[in-house]
Amino acid sequence: QKYPAPIPTGQNMSLLISGVQDVNATDNAQIVAIDEFGNVVGAAIFDSDGRSGIAIWGDDVTTDVKEGLLEYEEFELRLVDYEGGTESNLRVSSVASGNGLVYLPDGMTVLDLYVEESIPDEYYLNSNFPNPFNSTTKISFGILEDGIVNISVYNVSGRLIQTLMDDEMSAGHHQIAWEADGLPAGLYMLKIQAGSFTTQQKAILVK
């Protein structure tokens, strides 16, 4: 689910991210700043080189509603990949200037981040994106335990067309690409098997 946009209040601090380690995200991923109650207090498109600038919004004290952060209030950052269907916590690896993930009105913080390893609550296979697709699509999935993961493509008759993956994978959220060049347009089934878990999704190839 897409996070709502933050509320510009006129009170903010500048957060400059100089790099993000261990990241794997699509071009339309977003870095979202969230307070302890889950309210969005800042957001920016994630740059593929890991550098981003975010305005972290403070509270407008002239209203009865808390729209942003109070001075010295802490916040957290998340990397939300809407196309890939994943969300990861971002942690601070080093602070070049400022006080880290702490709001200071008119302040500036420069830091490096890394993606925290996360384990999904359950096994899953998301619908591929885009879908329908022309030649290339991305498939995201999550597994609870390390083990062999098999992802295969079948036609509507149930015949195996292609094995996309049959490898040992670590527990967590993952994404692979399916290059369907040379296959005829039509309906295909993507099937995942990981331990005792198995499920499938429909994929439509167009030309």
Side-chain angles (χ1 to χ4, degrees):
Q1 181 178 354
K2 190 169 184 178
Y3 284 96
I7 300 174
T9 60
Q11 305 290 328
N12 67 69
M13 67 172 275
S14 297
L15 176 65
L16 301 179
I17 299 168
S18 53
V20 181
Q21 305 168 29
D22 304 323
V23 66
N24 179 20
T26 65
D27 292 338
N28 292 324
Q30 190 177 40
I31 294 180
V32 179
I34 299 173
D35 69 10
E36 63 176 322
F37 304 106
N39 301 313
V40 177
V41 294
I45 296 297
F46 174 72
D47 196 308
S48 58
D49 67 3
R51 302 181 180 211
S52 298
I54 307 176
I56 306 297
W57 296 100
D59 185 44
D60 182 353
V61 296
T62 65
T63 70
D64 295 331
V65 179
K66 186 176 182 294
E67 306 93 345
L69 296 168
L70 302 175
E71 187 172 7
Y72 298 115
E73 188 174 355
E74 296 183 357
F75 58 95
E76 61 183 50
L77 298 174
R78 294 178 188 170
L79 179 64
V80 185
D81 190 342
Y82 297 112
E83 292 184 11
T86 61
E87 179 176 332
S88 305
N89 292 327
L90 294 173
R91 302 302 185 197
V92 177
S93 56
S94 64
V95 178
S97 65
N99 289 340
L101 302 183
V102 177
Y103 176 72
L104 294 174
D106 301 320
M108 176 178 286
T109 294
V110 182
L111 43 73
D112 288 319
L113 303 169
Y114 68 93
V115 178
E116 182 181 59
E117 291 282 346
S118 60
I119 307 298
D121 294 329
E122 59 185 9
Y123 287 92
Y124 69 86
L125 172 66
N126 284 338
S127 178
N128 58 296
F129 185 90
N131 191 27
F133 71 102
N134 183 348
S135 76
T136 303
T137 189
K138 293 180 179 179
I139 303 163
S140 58
F141 61 95
I143 58 175
L144 300 183
E145 299 176 344
D146 298 354
I148 299 294
V149 177
N150 179 285
I151 299 179
S152 299
V153 180
Y154 295 82
N155 64 14
V156 291
S157 300
R159 184 169 67 89
L160 176 64
I161 300 298
Q162 191 175 357
T163 298
L164 304 180
M165 167 182 286
D166 191 20
D167 296 309
E168 178 85 19
M169 299 292 292
S170 59
H173 305 272
H174 301 279
Q175 184 180 91
I176 63 171
W178 174 23
E179 304 282 349
D181 294 332
L183 292 177
L187 175 65
Y188 292 88
M189 301 302 296
L190 300 172
K191 182 178 180 180
I192 184 173
Q193 183 170 354
S196 60
F197 172 77
T198 182
T199 191
Q200 57 188 20
Q201 295 276 5
K202 296 178 181 177
I204 301 174
L205 174 61
V206 296
K207 297 292 186 178

